[in-house]
Amino acid sequence: MARTLTLLGATGSIGASTLDLLRRNRADWQVEALTANCSAIELASLAREFGAKAAVVGDESCLPELREALAGTDIKAAGGEQALCEAAARPVDITVAAIVGCAGLAPTMAAVETGGTVALANKEALVSAGDILKSAVERAGATLLPTDSEHNAIFQCLAGNDITQVRRILLTASGGPFRTLDAEALESVTREQALKHPNWDMGAKITIDSATMMNKGLEFIEAHHLFPVSLENIEIVVHPQSIVHSMVEYHDRSVLAQLGPSDMRVPIASCLAYPQRMETALQPLDLAAIGTLTFEAPNETLFPATRICREAIEMGGGAPAILNAANEFAVAAFLDGRIGFLQITKLVEQTLDRLSAQAPGSLEEVLAIDAEARAKARELLETHR
Ligand code: NDP
């Protein structure tokens, strides 16, 4: 029997990889709902192709375009944040949570509250609201499958082992496109250079996060929430080839690693088929052709984002939500040409220095901290121009 699936963020990079896997195994899947923010034409075309029951745009002003593009079908079109949550709350076998940013938090929470299985790519949701999301998972009896390649690798390395026997988690990082530059060169890198990741083809926000190493910092926080290992036992190691997706070291000093091509279809497939495995159209890993795998320590002097993230999660309270919101604001400002590359991380750190918040107790409180942090980052950017 076909399994039912909802894809939040269908028009993005993770969305495209997920749909590619479905396309090759059409008979196995029934698509319930597909969502986007405002890419209405693309969303409608995907909804038609996959025979989705509903298509939803987060930005309500894009609903008329979606309605028009779906005319003559019985696909239900809807728009707005509430409609996204309603789509996410439809009962399905699996929801892929792949909206970018804190905008994905409420729909992800709605999916979790159905008690189903959620393949989580939307790391910002976990960074901003880790404890709240985890409590909701527990309350609803939901299953959270880590889709981020590193966390999926760790999840695979933990399978069949006892978490209490883990000594360290080794989170690998490509180091991004600017790994070998010095401070002077980093000062003048452009948006176009930052958008060219050496190994992965991803959406704009995560590509910039990879260049600043903020992505690895966010993943450090994500790992802390997903796996019950203390912060001192999560280490970041730079691995420029992105073949080893992360590792787990046990008390006996055995280190288990998960390897694979740098293609998100691998971890997504592992979530879609979990606990089984499914075929993918990917080429096998040719280690002889790759030849060399290298590892080095991260340079936190040039790329302080991982230190800032570690400090934010140690600080606790609302700090991770402030960090995430300030970073989303700063990345958007960099992409709009309003700030330089090095200012991204500086603006995040300044926002964290100026703002503090108690640990949020609800989704609404997280969103209030998020809004306050964006306003503070905007104020700092305007006063420091
Ligand atoms: P993209 O920018 O490619 O896609 C984002 C998706 O979210 C699009 O469908 C977009 O719709 C939708 N969206 C954006 N803003 C909103 C909003 N305010 N409300 C509702 N929907 C919205 O991102 P990625 O696919 O690269 O990343 C998605 C998530 O997965 C991120 O959290 C990222 O960190 C994580 N991730 C991504 C990886 C990758 O390889 N890409 C790897 C590991 C994790 P529209 O097209 O209309 O804008």
Side-chain angles (χ1 to χ4, degrees):
M1 214 170 79
R3 295 180 69 216
T4 53
L5 171 141
T6 283
L7 175 52
L8 307 172
T11 51
S13 160
I14 293 286
S17 295
T18 306
L19 292 172
D20 183 73
L21 291 165
L22 263 54
R23 210 171 264 125
R24 292 167 201 272
N25 300 276
R26 265 320 262 117
D28 298 342
W29 297 98
Q30 166 61 54
V31 174
E32 184 72 23
L34 297 178
T35 81
N37 188 36
C38 198
S39 304
I41 303 292
E42 192 187 342
L43 181 67
S45 149
L46 293 170
R48 282 173 184 268
E49 177 188 350
F50 287 91
K53 295 200 180 130
V56 183
V57 278
D59 182 338
E60 213 165 349
S61 71
C62 307
L63 181 56
E65 195 181 9
L66 178 66
R67 283 219 169 97
E68 196 182 323
L70 287 174
T73 71
D74 55 7
I75 301 166
K76 183 177 180 292
E81 286 172 23
Q82 185 54 34
L84 281 180
C85 293
E86 283 163 17
R90 287 168 167 248
V92 281
D93 292 318
I94 185 163
T95 303
V96 178
I99 292 175
V100 62
C102 195
L105 175 57
T108 300
M109 188 71 111
V112 162
E113 279 166 356
T114 65
T117 298
V118 178
L120 185 73
N122 179 205
K123 66 189 82 182
E124 296 89 349
L126 205 52
V127 169
S128 298
D131 291 336
I132 293 166
L133 207 51
K134 280 192 303 179
S135 304
V137 166
E138 216 163 285
R139 230 180 14 251
T143 303
L144 211 54
L145 296 176
T147 310
D148 214 347
S149 59
E150 294 76 2
H151 305 77
N152 187 266
I154 296 162
F155 185 69
Q156 295 197 42
C157 294
L158 288 171
N161 286 287
D162 179 350
I163 187 84
T164 64
Q165 308 287 305
V166 171
R167 189 185 289 267
R168 277 188 308 166
I169 283 178
L170 296 160
L171 199 59
T172 55
S174 72
F178 306 139
R179 179 178 60 89
T180 56
L181 298 190
D182 59 19
E184 202 190 329
L186 275 181
E187 195 77 60
S188 56
V189 296
T190 64
R191 176 185 187 277
E192 284 61 41
Q193 289 169 321
L195 282 170
K196 276 205 189 81
H197 194 280
N199 306 332
W200 298 93
D201 182 12
M202 310 180 285
K205 194 258 174 184
I206 184 174
T207 305
I208 302 303
D209 283 345
S210 299
T212 58
M213 290 288 282
M214 188 63 77
N215 183 48
K216 212 46 56 181
L218 299 177
E219 288 180 1
F220 179 87
I221 298 176
E222 188 184 5
H224 164 71
H225 286 304
L226 287 171
F227 310 110
V229 171
S230 63
L231 289 172
E232 316 79 81
N233 293 335
I234 306 175
E235 270 177 41
I236 296 169
V237 59
V238 175
H239 165 50
Q241 296 81 19
S242 299
I243 296 297
V244 175
H245 297 302
S246 277
M247 295 168 265
V248 175
E249 183 185 59
Y250 290 90
H251 284 319
D252 60 4
R253 299 288 184 197
S254 284
V255 178
L256 301 194
Q258 186 264 350
L259 284 70
S262 316
D263 189 312
M264 284 307 292
R265 286 175 295 180
V266 178
I268 297 169
S270 120
C271 293
L272 292 182
Y274 183 80
Q276 304 295 319
R277 298 278 180 174
M278 66 192 271
E279 295 278 347
T280 69
L282 295 166
Q283 293 300 311
L285 195 60
D286 186 345
L287 285 172
I290 295 162
T292 310
L293 299 180
T294 60
F295 300 91
E296 57 195 65
N299 179 344
E300 289 194 338
T301 310
L302 275 184
F303 298 98
T306 48
R307 169 187 57 76
I308 296 168
C309 288
R310 201 168 43 244
E311 287 170 2
I313 186 71
E314 278 165 4
M315 206 181 306
I322 295 171
L323 165 109
N324 180 69
N327 182 55
E328 286 193 36
F329 176 83
V331 170
F334 172 71
L335 287 170
D336 288 349
R338 283 180 288 154
I339 60 173
F341 181 75
L342 289 179
Q343 275 176 284
I344 301 174
T345 314
K346 276 194 196 126
L347 190 53
V348 173
E349 192 161 31
Q350 283 166 351
T351 310
L352 272 167
D353 284 347
R354 308 287 161 86
L355 209 61
S356 63
Q358 300 271 320
S362 66
L363 190 66
E364 292 68 31
E365 285 177 20
V366 177
L367 297 177
I369 295 172
D370 181 276
E372 198 185 353
R374 283 169 202 262
K376 177 57 79 181
R378 180 174 299 108
E379 181 195 314
L380 286 167
L381 187 150
E382 279 161 10
T383 50
H384 285 80
R385 262 175 191 277

